[in-house]
Amino acid sequence: MAARTRLTRERVVAAALRIVDAEGLDGLSMRRVAEELGVETMALYRYTPSKDDLLDGLVERIFIELEENLSGTPFGPAALSGGDNEGAAPWREALVAVALAMYRVALAHPHVAPLLVLRPFTVPLTRRPPAVLRAHERLLTRLEGAGLGERAALELYRAYISWVLGYIVFELREVVDNPDEPEPAFRMGLHRLPVRDFPRLRALGPGLAARGGEEQLAAGVTALIDRFAPPT
């Protein structure tokens, strides 16, 4: 249990993140966060009025961590705030680097990562946390600063966000049936699938269990950029 000190929203969200990292989203509740902080549950509502707000705080924490990891590098927030100025990486390299950084942050918090996709279903764009909005604003600004027209910028923006988030969720999907089983096919439970009905899943299953990693993520982002903004 954490030592009793003054509460802030940052401390409440940090406690929630520790719980989710250790126990998954099913382990998160206002009561559990209060227990982690050594306070009464009602004390939390001054800083986060609901569990939904707490979930949004977790998403914001991911984007803040992304900013922190990129800060001071040629791929940091400044690299997505305009054209290819001195000290900023070329915009194509910057987009790849940001995607890789998001991938690393998501893998560090795998139980939180699905919220990056799920929360937009229930939270309108303008009500999303400031750190999330800043990331989208910088991306659109960078694409326009690269000389793309409005239509091309929006098309690449949609494709980029969809690919990066989709790739992360696919990487983190649960595919293992028995983690203690050393043989790959049995570890995945492929023996449960009738070979007559699912021959390709039976044959390719072990490969599906392996992560594509940063190389495939970067290759996909590069292909998208070339598709929507071919090199001149």
Side-chain angles (χ1 to χ4, degrees), residues 35 163 215 228:
E35 180 183 289
W163 169 254
E215 183 177 352
F228 290 98

XYZ file of all heavy atoms in Angstrom, residues 35 163 215 228:
43
model
N -7.593 1.573 -2.398
C -6.800 0.671 -1.570
C -5.317 0.809 -1.861
O -4.486 0.841 -0.948
C -7.256 -0.768 -1.832
C -6.517 -1.824 -1.048
C -7.000 -3.211 -1.431
O -8.123 -3.574 -1.074
O -6.235 -3.933 -2.115
N -3.404 1.709 -39.228
C -2.366 0.684 -39.315
C -1.631 0.529 -37.985
O -1.466 -0.586 -37.488
C -1.360 1.013 -40.417
C -0.138 0.143 -40.371
C 1.099 0.506 -39.957
C -0.048 -1.249 -40.721
N 1.964 -0.561 -40.029
C 1.289 -1.649 -40.491
C -0.963 -2.180 -41.207
C 1.731 -2.950 -40.737
C -0.521 -3.476 -41.450
C 0.801 -3.852 -41.216
N 10.175 -4.347 -37.180
C 10.532 -4.311 -38.598
C 9.296 -4.319 -39.483
O 9.196 -3.540 -40.443
C 11.438 -5.497 -38.928
C 11.918 -5.502 -40.377
C 12.875 -6.643 -40.678
O 13.281 -7.346 -39.729
O 13.216 -6.829 -41.854
N 0.241 6.887 -50.249
C -0.551 8.111 -50.219
C 0.261 9.357 -50.535
O -0.303 10.392 -50.872
C -1.222 8.262 -48.860
C -2.311 7.265 -48.609
C -2.078 6.123 -47.867
C -3.564 7.451 -49.140
C -3.078 5.192 -47.643
C -4.581 6.531 -48.931
C -4.330 5.385 -48.173
